[in-house]
Amino acid sequence: MTTRRASHANSWYSGNGQQLDRELSAWLASTTPISTPARAVICPHAGYSYSGSTAAHSFRQIDPNTVRTIFILGPSHHVRLSGCAVSQCSKYQTPLGDLTIDREITRELMETGKFEVMTLEADEDEHSIEMQLPYIAKVMQPAGGNFTIVPVMVGSLSTSSEAKYGKIFAKYLKDPSVCFVISSDFCHWGDRFNYTHYDSSAGEIHQSIKALDHAGMDLIERLDAPGFTHYLKQFGNTICGRHPIGVFLNMVAEIRGGVTNGHRMDLKFLKYAQSSQVKSTRESSVSYASAAFVM
């Protein structure tokens, strides 16, 4: 079995393990744990100089004493994919040590007939999964390597496909030893992203972007899958992880729709940031948000 290189180290984040560990430790130290450990988190996937501090708010909520399997659902930025794909690798490298892929769960997913296998090139080109790995390695250090990861590349799914994959993943979300990491940035605003929605009643452009993002974040907090889909159709907000988020919301809907044993479910956003505060149509920005889901 092959090992995936940390292909974005030394560019998107430090490839020096000691330096990276210090940076992650500092960001994590500036956050506050919530009362209940997270069963899923939403995290940004930009370079750490842009979104590392925001991501820390989510990763602080993962409990290494109970979590033994971490699913990572990341959008495909480079490969045309109409479904979801799993990795052919056995390990993913990080500057903080290799992470072991759960081949048994990967096989279970393949046996559904609904998953493709990423090429190694596609796997190493994609940053949306890789940018979660150093933080996972860091927060799971107390587990002493006694955990596995399940990376899943999520394609441009239809609404019905989001529901289909939500049903497949729901049984894993029910397991208290499983945590899902949902990889997504929020609004990509500016001419270079072909997106310049602006509601002047909200104030400056960056305030309009914030209001737009928070309208979507409110629907995610309400765990409203149809509402989030409608919002995306209405505003076209360039949330790159909209399909991983849609799959997650459908996992929750599947669990709620089953025989309920009083699952209390709650999702809260913990941090929101923008790469820059846009005031002119010549400028651009990307938004980042972190959330934690408990049940």
Side-chain angles (χ1 to χ4, degrees), residues 212-255:
L212 176 68
D213 279 332
H214 278 76
M217 291 158 61
D218 288 348
L219 290 160
I220 297 167
E221 284 192 336
R222 294 208 288 269
L223 302 170
D224 182 355
F228 185 60
T229 299
H230 176 73
Y231 157 86
L232 291 169
K233 286 178 179 167
Q234 182 179 2
F235 295 105
N237 193 1
T238 45
I239 300 172
C240 55
R242 57 193 175 277
H243 296 301
I245 293 170
V247 170
F248 168 72
L249 293 176
N250 277 280
M251 292 182 222
V252 173
E254 175 68 13
I255 294 171

Side-chain angles (χ1 to χ4, degrees), residues 4-20 23 45-48 92-98 123-134:
R4 181 198 183 279
R5 295 178 301 118
S7 51
H8 293 73
N10 295 311
S11 53
W12 291 56
Y13 58 93
S14 174
N16 179 299
Q18 288 183 320
Q19 181 182 338
L20 181 61
E23 289 174 353
H45 55 237
Y48 281 0
Y92 273 10
Q93 286 181 346
T94 86
L96 302 180
D98 293 355
D123 202 340
E124 291 185 341
D125 282 350
E126 183 53 60
H127 64 274
S128 71
I129 295 172
E130 179 179 341
M131 296 309 294
Q132 314 303 334
L133 304 178

